[in-house]
Amino acid sequence: MAEEKVLEYDIYLKVKKEDIHLVTYLLESVDNVMNVRNVVEDNMMKIICPKDTLDEALKLINSLKEMTDLEVAKIEPNNGEV
């Protein structure tokens, strides 16, 4: 069986509860780079982005560190689940 190609990545961010709305708004303001999918346990945001925009998404996420305390907790290939 051929190895499946990665088309999208899940990026998990640790964000303070009071900053989730601001971070969501700012990250989704740039079209076609990424989408915030949901907030999971421990105030972690799950973001999905196409493989071609991963670097741009990470640059945008890291630029928000000047405004809020956030951390990229992990990045993994998307398994097809929202």
Side-chain angles (χ1 to χ4, degrees):
M1 178 192 271
E3 185 176 321
E4 291 185 38
K5 290 175 118 180
V6 175
L7 300 177
E8 298 173 319
Y9 283 92
D10 293 333
I11 304 169
Y12 292 88
L13 302 181
K14 289 184 182 179
V15 181
K16 292 180 185 176
K17 186 175 181 175
E18 60 269 18
D19 292 338
I20 289 173
H21 180 74
L22 172 65
V23 171
T24 300
Y25 180 78
L26 292 171
L27 292 180
E28 290 192 335
S29 69
V30 180
D31 288 335
N32 304 314
V33 174
M34 70 187 101
N35 292 98
V36 175
R37 291 300 189 186
N38 54 26
V39 177
V40 293
E41 296 175 13
D42 301 323
N43 297 324
M44 293 224 320
M45 298 175 70
K46 178 180 178 184
I47 297 167
I48 189 170
C49 74
K51 71 172 182 158
D52 296 337
T53 65
L54 179 61
D55 289 338
E56 186 177 352
L58 291 173
K59 285 179 188 174
L60 179 58
I61 290 166
N62 286 320
S63 74
L64 298 182
K65 289 181 178 180
E66 296 176 12
M67 291 186 239
T68 185
D69 184 24
L70 62 82
E71 174 188 345
V72 176
K74 65 180 173 176
I75 301 169
E76 58 190 22
N78 178 272
N79 63 6
E81 293 182 14
V82 178

